[in-house]
Amino acid sequence: RSRGLGDVYKRQVGNISNFTGFMYSNSVFNQDISNWDTSSATNMYYMFGGCSSLNADLNTKDTGSRLAWDVSNVTSFHGMLSGTTSMTYDIDKWQITTDASKSVSMNNMFTGNINWMTLEPKTVTVGSGAYQKTYLAWDTQRVTSLSETFHANSAFNKDIGKWDTSS
């Protein structure tokens, strides 16, 4: 159990917009949260920062009734996954907002020796029926802040050459 929160994977989080520090520095947290509804989330500031035991599937996927881990409304990924050194799942289907009225921060997002993710922009289709979406994953055109995104991360060796950093 994590900080008295019980079985976090059972929590209904669909109405939560601010996950600031949710499991910050909880080095033992590792529950299955793969089906969370994060479609209302706008702030994931240090959500899992320092969760060195976390190995959860946070990729966008169809649950049969909605998309899980839809991060398309998030504007702050600041420190969200820093120090998640046990992760083995990918987040290659994340849709970063393209809303022209929003700017996105990814400061310190991948700080620490982590190299488990694919961050190359590519067209993906997730879901089915009414929940099907086709979009460009890792479209970084609205990202305005990348300060120390890969700070202290000598392990990172992925291609981000197609990131649009013109904002």
Side-chain angles (χ1 to χ4, degrees):
R1 297 193 188 256
S2 302
R3 295 193 184 164
L5 294 175
D7 292 324
V8 172
Y9 69 93
K10 293 179 183 178
R11 301 263 182 220
Q12 298 297 318
V13 298
N15 293 322
I16 298 174
S17 63
N18 188 345
F19 284 94
T20 296
F22 178 70
M23 283 288 156
Y24 181 71
S25 289
N26 187 333
S27 61
V28 297
F29 177 71
N30 187 30
Q31 292 189 22
D32 179 7
I33 52 175
S34 61
N35 287 325
W36 270 13
D37 177 0
T38 58
S39 60
S40 295
T42 58
N43 189 343
M44 293 186 168
Y45 184 93
Y46 281 97
M47 183 176 182
F48 298 114
C51 290
S52 56
S53 296
L54 181 66
N55 187 23
D57 182 0
L58 308 181
N59 216 351
T60 306
K61 69 190 77 50
D62 184 5
T63 66
S65 60
R66 61 172 170 73
L67 294 179
W69 284 97
D70 176 355
V71 297
S72 61
N73 290 312
V74 176
T75 56
S76 178
F77 293 99
H78 189 123
M80 180 196 178
L81 297 166
S82 63
T84 54
T85 53
S86 295
M87 288 284 283
T88 59
Y89 292 95
D90 212 335
I91 53 174
D92 63 327
K93 294 179 182 165
W94 276 17
Q95 180 182 15
I96 310 303
T97 189
T98 55
D99 183 333
S101 70
K102 297 178 180 177
S103 61
V104 177
S105 168
M106 291 187 176
N107 295 346
N108 299 97
M109 187 173 179
F110 301 111
T111 297
N113 283 323
I114 56 177
N115 193 33
W116 48 262
M117 71 302 251
T118 303
L119 306 173
E120 185 175 348
K122 65 179 180 179
T123 301
V124 298
T125 300
V126 294
S128 59
Y131 302 101
Q132 184 172 339
K133 288 173 75 173
T134 299
Y135 54 88
L136 181 63
W138 283 97
D139 180 349
T140 56
Q141 67 177 300
R142 300 307 314 155
V143 177
T144 57
S145 187
L146 290 164
S147 176
E148 298 186 333
T149 299
F150 300 101
H151 177 73
N153 192 340
S154 60
F156 185 77
N157 187 22
K158 303 288 181 165
D159 182 9
I160 57 171
K162 294 180 183 172
W163 276 19
D164 178 352
T165 57
S166 61
S167 291

